[in-house]
Amino acid sequence: MKTTTLILIPLLFLTSLGFAQEADSARQDSVKTTNFTLFNTDVIVYKNADGTNTWEFVSKGDQYYEYQSKSKKSSNGLTLDIGINTWIGDDAAPVVKPWGSWNPAINYHYTYKPSKNFNLKSAIGVSWYNFKFEDRNLQALRSNGSLVFEEHPSGTGTKSKISASYANLTLIPTVQTSNGNFSFGVGPYAGYRLGGRGKFVYRDTSGNRAKEFQMGNMFAENFRYGIRAEITVADLTFYMNYDLNNTFQENKGPKLNTLSFGFVL
């Protein structure tokens, strides 16, 4: 009997030590901790690097047990793009001013995660092109079935831009590190134009602010397609879109390709 007792005591000690080491490991691997109290029980939630959660329940008697959630295979939600547009190609085209050439977008995404280091992101959303000209007195006009750029006769222009909106579909395969602190993805997108217009702001002869609009499409392509890249470092995601199609319809505007870049919120 004494021999059996002597054997059981070390076994119990080693077992409890193993559980303690497992709990300590969960704490060390966690990247975020949340604490709250429920029914006189302290609840500690460790967010692990692999995306799972470890729950620790501590009662008044300092006894605790753990529950670890399974990795989620998918996620979804809304994201916002905040960036700027520019165009490249024809040196004779008006110079675009970065500040004011905004590229906002709102997207609903569904992300499938078959493994820790790979996911497939699909998104549907709406984006806006804004091209603000460096020459504030240069006005974009619809003339004889094409787009022309002319100096405004007032000579007092303060803002000149054209815009277009698109509904888009995007698919981005993405690889990421095991701790989730870095990821890189690149994939195709396609969109269909919803609307567009031109806007010119100037000072009239009385010095008052006046506006002129070119309503309707400014001959932007009806269908756009290209490549999107996303890079995430920690909690910051940077995106870049490059249109493979021409910005304007064939023979109705300068031959240009649009480049957009910014941040995902």
Side-chain angles (χ1 to χ4, degrees), residues 219-240:
F219 298 105
E221 275 286 4
N222 292 323
F223 183 71
R224 65 183 286 249
Y225 57 93
I227 299 295
R228 178 181 175 98
E230 291 186 358
I231 299 176
T232 299
V233 179
D235 293 326
L236 184 63
T237 300
F238 173 83
Y239 79 89
M240 183 179 69

Side-chain angles (χ1 to χ4, degrees), residues 68 71 79 107 141 166 214 225 233:
Q68 184 162 331
S71 297
T79 59
N107 297 296
L141 298 169
Y166 288 85
Q214 296 286 309
Y225 57 93
V233 179

Side-chain angles (χ1 to χ4, degrees), residues 174-193:
T174 302
V175 293
Q176 65 180 24
T177 56
S178 296
N179 60 12
N181 287 333
F182 177 82
S183 67
F184 173 76
V186 60
Y189 62 82
Y192 186 78
R193 187 182 60 81

Side-chain angles (χ1 to χ4, degrees), residues 85-90 93 96 129-131 133 147 149 162-164 166 189 193 195 217-225 241-260:
N85 300 300
T86 188
W87 54 35
I88 54 178
D90 189 347
V96 172
Y129 278 161
N130 290 283
F131 299 102
F133 302 144
L147 185 68
F149 302 95
I162 58 176
S163 61
Y166 288 85
Y189 62 82
R193 187 182 60 81
N217 181 28
M218 301 299 287
F219 298 105
E221 275 286 4
N222 292 323
F223 183 71
R224 65 183 286 249
Y225 57 93
N241 295 332
Y242 179 73
D243 283 3
L244 298 175
N245 61 283
N246 290 332
T247 303
F248 299 104
Q249 297 173 21
E250 188 71 22
N251 298 322
K252 294 185 178 181
K255 288 188 175 182
L256 301 163
N257 296 90
T258 298
L259 177 68
S260 309

Side-chain angles (χ1 to χ4, degrees), residues 48-242:
N48 303 320
D50 61 0
T52 63
N53 294 328
T54 299
W55 296 67
E56 183 177 303
F57 302 89
V58 182
S59 64
K60 287 183 177 180
D62 292 330
Q63 296 178 347
Y64 70 88
Y65 62 93
E66 297 179 355
Y67 167 77
Q68 184 162 331
S69 65
K70 296 181 179 179
S71 297
K72 293 182 178 179
K73 289 292 186 180
S74 64
S75 63
N76 55 38
L78 289 175
T79 59
L80 299 175
D81 290 357
I82 301 295
I84 59 176
N85 300 300
T86 188
W87 54 35
I88 54 178
D90 189 347
D91 293 337
V95 177
V96 172
K97 186 176 183 179
W99 188 262
S101 298
W102 306 121
N103 177 228
I106 180 169
N107 297 296
Y108 175 82
H109 76 88
Y110 175 84
T111 303
Y112 174 62
K113 304 175 182 178
S115 69
K116 182 188 298 185
N117 302 110
F118 177 80
N119 64 66
L120 185 62
K121 177 181 177 181
S122 57
I124 182 172
V126 179
S127 64
W128 287 264
Y129 278 161
N130 290 283
F131 299 102
K132 184 178 181 180
F133 302 144
E134 190 75 45
D135 184 349
R136 295 181 295 179
N137 199 58
L138 188 66
Q139 185 178 19
L141 298 169
R142 294 169 56 95
S143 176
N144 298 322
S146 64
L147 185 68
V148 297
F149 302 95
E150 297 180 354
E151 291 290 329
H152 195 266
S154 68
T156 58
T158 59
K159 181 193 296 184
S160 181
K161 71 174 186 176
I162 58 176
S163 61
S165 57
Y166 288 85
N168 308 297
L169 290 172
T170 308
L171 186 66
I172 306 177
T174 302
V175 293
Q176 65 180 24
T177 56
S178 296
N179 60 12
N181 287 333
F182 177 82
S183 67
F184 173 76
V186 60
Y189 62 82
Y192 186 78
R193 187 182 60 81
L194 301 176
R197 69 173 187 174
K199 179 180 179 180
F200 184 79
V201 183
Y202 65 101
R203 297 287 180 180
D204 61 19
T205 54
S206 300
N208 297 320
R209 194 166 180 261
K211 300 178 183 178
E212 292 183 2
F213 294 96
Q214 296 286 309
M215 305 306 295
N217 181 28
M218 301 299 287
F219 298 105
E221 275 286 4
N222 292 323
F223 183 71
R224 65 183 286 249
Y225 57 93
I227 299 295
R228 178 181 175 98
E230 291 186 358
I231 299 176
T232 299
V233 179
D235 293 326
L236 184 63
T237 300
F238 173 83
Y239 79 89
M240 183 179 69
N241 295 332
Y242 179 73

